[in-house]
Amino acid sequence: TGSADNLAAATSRGTYWSVDGGQTWSPSTGLEGGQHGIVLGLAGRPTNPARALAVTYGGGIYASADAGRSWMQVDGYNGSDYVYELAFRPGSSTQVYAGTYGVQHSSDSGLTWSSLGSLPDWVRTLDALSGAHLDVFAGTHVSGVYMLPDGSGNWVAINSGLGDLRMRSLKATAPDTLFAGTNGSSGWQYSILNRPSRADGQEEPAGVRGADSWTRQGPYILAPGIIQIVIDPTNSNRIYAGTDQGVYRSTDGGESWVPKNQGLGGYGDLVISGMAIDPNNSSTIYLATWGYGIFKSTDRGDHWVRLSDPLNSMQMYLPMVVRNLSTAELPDTLYSIADATVIEALPSTNGGGTTD
């Protein structure tokens, strides 16, 4: 199996990759030097993270078949070149969503894309459910949160009670619960309490009726903005929030929050631009920061250690997002997600067989 130390980092100067847990980094090919736009997000297929997608602010969507070592632009994407975030539907390697002006959807792992309904705003953050209800949620730049019930039909605003419509992060923390971070007023929780039947006999989320409301969770996160929310895959009650002023952790599903910044001091107001939990060991977490590189914790955020910085960003103000692309072996011959043809025969790092 692949090493748990394979990482990919998205930056304003392209992407970098590491095979030693972030101690050393190498630049990727195909997304060099920021000439294709600032790389804002990375996402690996749930069943094979080595096959990944990258979204850029200015260059559209790119695909990698080798855990971020090389990238090709996705020809089947015709949306805006400015893309903020990616999200695979949990448990699916084919259904993926991109936040841009509105939401783009792919049902073939990012090979081709189409608009998902119509939203009148830039989508900064998004998430989707799996299981009985395939709802999609979109957090917008200035218009709050929208919901697409069961992933089809029309988007519906679900902003009752929400004290700030400038969304920074959004996560479905449970099948009936959303947690959102805004640009300046802490964290908010939205519960879908009831799903009454529609005229066609199918259940409908209560949010469509405007019956539910957002509530502010406390003790509050005191930072002015919550940039990213991640959930421990082994315990859904353990949630981490990366903010404009460090890290917060909840162990009760978001009801209360405690700052977890030991080892992050001495860097001023440390902006957490990205977080990733090691899929093989949920005690290990990586942080990406604006201007200070990457940090790592091996005890669920109780202590942090600064890793090597691939861009010497102590002198730069850079958005960086880390994703641990670590669970699958790389094949001896790599195939492009972008066009499903062999693009180059490259030796893998482990001589592994073919993968999904």
Side-chain angles (χ1 to χ4, degrees):
T1 60
S3 167
D5 293 326
N6 288 345
L7 302 173
T11 80
S12 65
R13 293 194 174 186
T15 60
Y16 286 71
W17 56 275
S18 171
V19 294
D20 56 11
Q23 296 303 316
T24 60
W25 295 83
S26 300
S28 305
T29 60
L31 276 174
E32 303 93 340
Q35 58 185 322
H36 306 283
I38 299 173
V39 183
L40 293 181
L42 302 170
R45 290 190 196 178
T47 58
N48 182 1
R51 295 184 178 271
L53 297 171
V55 294
T56 69
Y57 191 78
I61 299 177
Y62 285 73
S64 172
D66 54 7
R69 290 160 174 76
S70 61
W71 298 89
M72 288 186 65
Q73 194 167 33
V74 175
D75 292 334
Y77 173 75
N78 297 310
S80 169
D81 286 340
Y82 299 94
V83 190
Y84 285 96
E85 189 170 75
L86 280 170
F88 277 89
R89 185 179 294 281
S92 173
S93 283
T94 59
Q95 305 295 320
V96 59
Y97 304 87
T100 176
Y101 195 81
V103 175
Q104 292 275 321
H105 171 238
S106 173
S107 59
D108 53 14
S109 304
L111 177 63
T112 58
W113 296 81
S114 60
S115 295
L116 189 63
S118 177
L119 273 178
D121 199 355
W122 292 96
V123 174
R124 298 283 301 272
T125 179
L126 51 88
D127 201 10
L129 293 179
S130 59
H133 295 283
L134 304 179
D135 306 329
V136 182
F137 304 96
T140 66
H141 184 54
V142 293
S143 305
V145 180
Y146 284 78
M147 178 181 187
L148 190 65
D150 291 308
S152 62
N154 297 319
W155 291 93
V156 179
I158 51 171
N159 292 326
S160 176
L162 188 59
D164 190 335
L165 300 182
R166 302 167 299 166
M167 308 310 300
R168 297 284 291 276
S169 55
L170 184 67
K171 195 70 177 177
T173 57
D176 58 354
T177 305
L178 293 179
F179 193 85
T182 66
N183 201 43
S185 56
S186 191
W188 298 79
Q189 182 170 291
Y190 185 90
S191 296
I192 304 172
L193 300 178
N194 302 290
R195 302 183 74 101
S197 296
R198 301 189 304 221
D200 58 7
Q202 300 297 314
E203 291 181 335
E204 182 176 84
V208 172
R209 299 179 295 114
D212 292 337
S213 178
W214 291 89
T215 56
R216 196 175 182 187
Q217 296 303 102
Y220 301 150
I221 294 175
L222 300 179
I226 300 175
I227 298 173
Q228 188 174 12
I229 301 163
V230 295
I231 303 173
D232 188 328
T234 65
N235 181 354
S236 61
N237 285 320
R238 186 179 296 116
I239 308 173
Y240 301 89
T243 78
D244 289 334
Q245 295 178 349
V247 179
Y248 285 76
R249 185 179 70 192
S250 173
T251 57
D252 54 13
E255 295 294 329
S256 61
W257 296 88
V258 177
K260 290 292 179 181
N261 296 318
Q262 186 167 338
L264 301 180
Y267 299 100
D269 289 338
L270 190 65
V271 176
I272 309 301
S273 52
M275 305 177 70
I277 298 176
D278 186 332
N280 298 321
N281 181 357
S282 64
S283 296
T284 299
I285 310 169
Y286 295 90
L287 295 182
T289 68
W290 284 7
Y292 297 102
I294 299 169
F295 292 77
K296 179 181 181 180
S297 172
T298 57
D299 55 11
R300 296 188 170 92
D302 287 336
H303 305 85
W304 299 95
V305 175
R306 188 169 184 243
L307 302 180
S308 174
D309 186 347
L311 294 178
N312 191 25
S313 58
M314 183 72 75
Q315 288 78 38
M316 302 179 187
Y317 190 67
L318 299 172
M320 302 181 70
V321 179
V322 174
R323 290 291 182 268
N324 190 336
L325 308 178
S326 65
T327 60
E329 295 182 346
L330 298 180
D332 290 315
T333 302
L334 301 178
Y335 296 86
S336 167
I337 309 175
D339 58 10
T341 61
V342 177
I343 57 173
E344 188 173 8
L346 298 175
S348 71
T349 58
N350 57 17
T354 58
T355 54
D356 174 35

